Amino acid sequence: MTESTPGKRRPWTVPDDLLARIAARAPGYDTDNAFCAEDLAELRQAGYLRIGVPIRDGGSGLGLRETAAVQRTLATAAPATALGLGMHQVWVQAARSVSVRGGTFLQTVTDAAAADRLLAFGVSEPGNDAVLFDSLTTAEPDGAGGYRFTGTKVSTSLAPAWDLLSVFGKDTSGTEPRLVHGFAVRADDGVRHLDDWDTLGMRATQSRTTILEGLHVPAERIVRVLPVGPVADPLVFGIFAAFELLVASVYVGIASRAVTLAVERVAERVAMDGTRRSADPDVRRAVAAMRSATDAIALQVDALARDADELVEHDRWFPLLVGTKARAVDTAQSVVDEALRVVGGSAFRASDELARLARDVRAGQYHPSTRDSAMRTIAAAEFGPLPR
């Protein structure tokens, strides 16, 4: 029996009172372009950072499927909080994926989460469409198993608050270039964040640009060295599966909240002649279509997360993951737009929750894998890679 089975796991959900406080703070974070510091503090106190840590290490033992459900719920209250703090959960679930497949090289991640330390990603780079398969950051060997990293990372969520930041770069000192993955700690010299996060939506993530200026990561914090290019490695699969599905779950939560708001607001509207808007056949059909579309993406994310937990060997894992993430984002945006339409002009105010969701949901098209990248991956699985 694994730790994700009902007999041994500790169910964990965001407490209702905490969820209400998080929802109440979300508009202020958005208006002020501020990091969700209070949300993090309360969630940390509630054990959120440890939900995916094994029970034996003081966590709740949640797998990817249950963590995705937590993220979906959190996103109904505060999408930006769910997205930003979800980067921590991506690392925790990646470590869990590596562990259940027999690897130990991400034990540092599990240990950090067990100690309530916040994990973040320093992966994305301007102009690097290869994401995990190449890097524009240089990784210079220090001669003792460590490396010095120099480069620019973008969209570094949790910039004001992380305790450990993953970094990776390319070592070209040998006969073949290699990609080096390691972790910086907050006290390290050589990490600088720009205060440049002023975006359309998802503002509370504070995903600022990060400058690595000869950042030294010693050998004990180097976790993996891989060849450049696509590679079948537990680290790559663990990060990829957790990232795609946990990000998708945030957008499922946004879509679900948009449907709930549409139903509530439509139910309140009564015309001068006494006709209820909820009795309008066109409105009813629109809301039904929104709910049906949201149900579909929720089930897709849930099914793939369950398969990842149960070590199902799909021969098309990557096309399934990128397709699910892309569909979740596109569906959520469509649902939010339709919710705005059926609710009417009252939603066309910056202070309205639907207006905030309409801005937050558009961030989804920028997270890897983008729609174009997803379609290239799926096409390559069908036709084979394009000739060089």
Side-chain angles (χ1 to χ4, degrees):
M1 182 181 293
T2 67
E3 289 190 334
S4 62
T5 57
K8 295 186 69 174
R9 67 178 175 84
R10 298 176 186 171
W12 194 95
T13 58
V14 185
D16 289 344
D17 58 338
L18 174 53
L19 197 66
R21 290 193 297 275
I22 288 171
R25 286 190 288 257
Y29 291 145
D30 179 68
T31 299
D32 297 339
N33 191 27
F35 179 64
C36 55
E38 295 88 352
D39 290 354
L40 170 59
E42 287 206 67
L43 284 164
R44 177 182 262 139
Q45 182 65 33
Y48 169 83
L49 299 186
R50 289 178 274 115
I51 61 174
V53 171
I55 294 169
R56 65 177 178 270
D57 296 323
S60 299
L62 270 59
L64 185 55
R65 184 185 191 186
E66 292 169 313
T67 301
V70 170
Q71 291 303 103
R72 184 168 64 245
T73 299
L74 188 56
T76 64
T81 293
L83 183 66
L85 297 183
M87 295 303 103
H88 171 90
Q89 302 299 355
V90 170
W91 263 124
V92 175
Q93 288 301 314
R96 182 182 183 279
S97 175
V98 166
S99 177
V100 298
R101 288 167 174 80
T104 60
F105 57 84
L106 286 185
Q107 185 60 42
T108 186
V109 168
T110 301
D111 292 345
D116 285 328
R117 302 178 76 192
L118 186 65
L119 295 140
F121 274 91
V123 171
S124 297
E125 299 166 334
N128 178 13
D129 293 335
V131 194
L132 285 174
F133 298 140
D134 203 347
S135 180
L136 300 172
T137 296
T138 61
E140 180 184 357
D142 67 0
Y147 289 83
R148 294 189 181 277
F149 294 83
T150 302
T152 299
K153 305 293 185 177
V154 294
S155 298
T156 309
S157 296
L158 310 175
W162 56 262
D163 296 305
L164 278 81
L165 175 70
S166 72
V167 293
F168 94 120
K170 184 160 58 178
D171 173 13
T172 59
S173 63
T175 56
E176 295 290 338
R178 302 185 302 168
L179 297 175
V180 183
H181 296 261
F183 282 91
V185 297
R186 198 82 195 184
D188 285 340
D189 293 328
V191 181
R192 179 166 58 92
H193 292 298
L194 305 183
D195 189 7
D196 60 349
W197 189 249
D198 187 11
T199 51
L200 180 69
M202 292 295 188
R203 287 155 67 82
T205 65
Q206 287 301 299
S207 304
R208 302 172 185 176
T209 298
T210 301
I211 311 298
L212 306 180
E213 301 169 316
L215 164 72
H216 182 241
V217 178
E220 61 267 22
R221 285 195 260 123
I222 298 297
V223 296
R224 206 68 168 162
V225 178
L226 298 171
V228 173
V231 59
D233 187 84
L235 175 68
V236 173
F237 178 80
I239 292 175
F240 203 85
F243 186 93
E244 296 295 284
L245 295 179
L246 292 182
V247 166
S249 70
V250 169
Y251 291 89
V252 174
I254 292 175
S256 180
R257 179 59 179 165
V259 176
T260 297
L261 288 171
V263 170
E264 291 175 354
R265 303 277 282 279
V266 164
E268 295 170 351
R269 289 188 56 182
V270 181
M272 291 179 64
D273 64 0
T275 303
R276 292 188 173 276
R277 185 159 173 78
S278 60
D280 184 324
D282 292 333
V283 171
R284 294 174 71 89
R285 183 178 182 85
V287 171
M290 291 159 55
R291 177 57 74 190
S292 178
T294 302
D295 287 343
I297 55 174
L299 289 169
Q300 290 172 47
V301 172
D302 183 72
L304 270 190
R306 178 197 62 211
D307 285 357
D309 284 340
E310 296 179 357
L311 307 185
V312 174
E313 293 296 335
H314 288 297
D315 58 1
R316 297 180 62 251
W317 257 119
F318 286 92
L320 289 171
L321 290 166
V322 299
T324 297
K325 183 268 176 181
R327 281 191 300 278
V329 168
D330 287 348
T331 299
Q333 183 167 325
S334 176
V335 166
V336 172
D337 287 347
E338 190 71 350
L340 288 169
R341 184 185 70 81
V342 300
V343 167
S346 64
F348 195 60
R349 295 178 179 273
S351 59
D352 191 89
E353 184 176 355
L354 269 175
R356 175 161 50 83
L357 294 184
R359 291 184 292 105
D360 282 349
V361 77
R362 277 157 178 78
Q365 64 188 302
Y366 303 109
H367 311 311
S369 295
T370 64
R371 183 192 301 129
D372 289 346
S373 175
M375 294 307 104
R376 287 194 294 269
T377 297
I378 295 169
E382 298 298 319
F383 295 109
L386 286 169
R388 290 184 179 276

